[in-house]
Amino acid sequence: MSDQERAPAREPLWEVFIRSRRGLSHVHVGSVRAADGELALLSARDLYTRRAEGVSLWVVRSSDIHASDPDDKDMLFEPSLSKPYRHAGYYAIPEGLGHL
Amino acid sequence: MTAGTTRGPDIGSLLPTYLLRLGDDALILSQRMSQWYARAPRLEDDIALLNMALDYLGHARALLTMAGEREGRGRDEDSLAFLRPESDFVNAQLMELPNGDFGRTIARLTAVAIWHLALYEGLAQSADEALSAFAQKAVIECRYHAEYANLWLQRLAGGTSESARRMQAGIDYVWPFAGELFCADDTVAGLAEAGVVPDPAGLERRWLSAVTPLLRGHGLSCPAVSAGPAPGRSGRHLESFTPLIAEMQHLHRAHPGATW
């Protein structure tokens, strides 16, 4: 019997996000394998908060994350770099108008 | 005590004994759980079990230090942990039980965590300030232990027929040792009367009313338990205690006075 036939199904992968005491948003810190969300939270707590990093934990199934393709980087992000007229700061405020 | 006196229990002599019991409970449990190191079924649980063992080590350090100070014989946490002979350890035998398989480990953790929640919540109201302060901090860690045990209790009991069998076998093996926790000898009775420790009968009721629906709710049967003999509290231990103590103490004894 080959190893492939005997290998048990792997537990799903979860991405871990932590908000630190002084932070405003959750930051990605790594991943854990766990059978379900509750166990994933416990594992994340044990593996990623040993040094008092955070006050809030999120775990998300990796398969639920839709990520942009690195090859599409130019198509998605370059246009906003080369069109300054899209930004309010590009425009000079006429005198006498005060604040906009 | 002579007839005719109205003097209350001598807290000064009872408290060190009591602190030693709790300290030994934590120390021996920590040492035993540490034997999962690099042997747990999954990496995540290896770290979880060792994290909890370190929590217990922290409790042991605080409790043994307090015991040594109150005793006033110059013994500190290290001399109490590493230089006492086996028969001087007064932990409950529940704490020294070999880990067994993961199911038995979760069974013991369930019994201990729920006991600690009841005990430390009670001790948080202790008339002794230092003990109260310790318990208020320790109980927070015990909530995590209870949560971890609960999640695995549920998954093992409700998993496959093998996991359910092993989980029930773990409960059946461990539960008879829980009776020792509720021992109400003169030491405990005296301290309870003085408001230093919670009433043992009340703790037993709290523990039973927590574990019975918990186990049944997960489809497990709950063996009957009541306060029983307390061999561990008198320094009588199981055969497996000897190698545990030897492994824990040999390094310290081989190099007296050494520091890292």
Side-chain angles (χ1 to χ4, degrees):
Chain A
M1 202 186 293
S2 72
D3 282 341
Q4 205 48 40
E5 288 171 287
R6 286 170 57 178
R10 294 198 74 174
E11 295 161 307
L13 192 65
W14 305 74
E15 301 301 325
V16 180
F17 302 82
I18 300 183
R19 182 165 66 79
S20 70
R21 236 170 270 276
R22 294 209 185 88
L24 293 175
S25 58
H26 287 72
V27 173
H28 183 239
V29 294
S31 55
V32 292
R33 286 213 177 263
D36 59 65
E38 282 181 320
L39 286 179
L41 272 180
L42 281 193
S43 294
R45 180 268 194 187
D46 285 323
L47 292 168
Y48 292 105
T49 68
R50 285 183 62 78
R51 295 179 183 84
E53 283 90 351
V55 297
S56 176
L57 270 176
W58 287 352
V59 291
V60 182
R61 268 185 208 265
S62 308
S63 56
D64 282 338
I65 293 180
H66 300 266
S68 59
D69 188 334
D71 290 338
D72 290 342
K73 190 157 60 92
D74 285 344
M75 171 187 80
L76 289 170
F77 307 118
E78 202 280 336
S80 63
L81 293 172
S82 62
K83 298 184 178 59
Y85 51 82
R86 287 185 173 194
H87 305 294
Y90 176 81
Y91 298 93
I93 301 171
E95 282 206 28
L97 198 53
H99 297 280
L100 267 175
Chain B
M1 241 193 261
T2 59
T5 63
T6 53
R7 194 184 58 170
D10 178 10
I11 305 307
S13 66
L14 297 180
L15 191 51
T17 301
Y18 184 81
L19 291 169
L20 213 54
R21 289 178 183 177
L22 295 200
D24 282 352
D25 280 353
L27 178 68
I28 297 305
L29 183 60
S30 174
Q31 186 71 16
R32 183 59 90 194
M33 284 184 70
S34 301
Q35 289 175 348
W36 270 116
Y37 184 55
R39 294 190 180 94
R42 296 164 66 247
L43 175 65
E44 290 81 1
D45 297 296
D46 208 288
I47 294 186
L49 291 165
L50 267 296
N51 267 348
M52 290 187 279
L54 287 176
D55 286 345
Y56 290 124
L57 186 66
H59 300 172
R61 295 194 62 194
L63 289 162
L64 291 180
T65 299
M66 275 194 279
E69 283 168 353
R70 303 306 176 92
E71 188 190 59
R73 285 167 49 189
R75 299 199 288 183
D76 67 355
E77 52 179 329
D78 282 348
S79 50
L80 285 168
F82 300 120
L83 297 178
R84 274 183 300 156
E86 281 178 51
S87 55
D88 281 5
F89 279 86
V90 288
N91 56 284
Q93 287 186 349
L94 177 67
M95 310 303 172
E96 75 201 48
L97 289 179
N99 289 319
D101 63 11
F102 191 63
R104 188 185 290 183
T105 288
I106 294 299
R108 189 249 300 280
L109 186 65
T110 300
V112 170
I114 292 178
W115 161 250
H116 277 144
L117 284 180
L119 176 66
Y120 289 155
E121 279 173 12
L123 285 175
Q125 323 294 328
S126 174
D128 186 286
E129 276 185 33
L131 191 46
S132 165
F134 159 77
Q136 286 175 48
K137 231 182 130 236
V139 75
I140 297 172
E141 289 166 347
C142 295
R143 288 198 186 112
Y144 181 78
H145 303 171
E147 176 65 10
Y148 180 86
N150 179 45
L151 289 193
W152 276 112
L153 200 66
Q154 179 184 26
R155 282 153 182 76
L156 293 174
T160 64
S161 55
E162 179 176 3
S163 74
R165 178 180 62 78
R166 286 175 181 268
M167 188 63 247
Q168 185 66 60
I171 298 284
D172 293 341
Y173 184 90
V174 164
W175 245 233
F177 291 91
E180 183 169 18
L181 299 172
F182 314 120
C183 111
D185 63 0
D186 290 344
T187 301
V188 178
L191 289 169
E193 193 188 314
V196 176
V197 309
D199 160 55
L203 288 179
E204 184 177 354
R205 276 194 302 273
R206 275 197 64 179
W207 188 83
L208 284 170
S209 66
V211 302
T212 312
L214 177 68
L215 293 188
R216 292 196 181 144
H218 292 318
L220 298 161
S221 72
C222 191
V225 167
S226 54
R233 301 299 188 206
S234 337
R236 292 198 304 283
H237 297 285
L238 306 172
E239 202 179 318
S240 53
F241 192 68
T242 301
L244 178 103
I245 290 295
E247 189 176 53
M248 186 175 81
Q249 295 190 336
H250 85 275
L251 191 67
H252 184 101
R253 288 174 180 264
H255 305 280
T259 57
W260 291 104

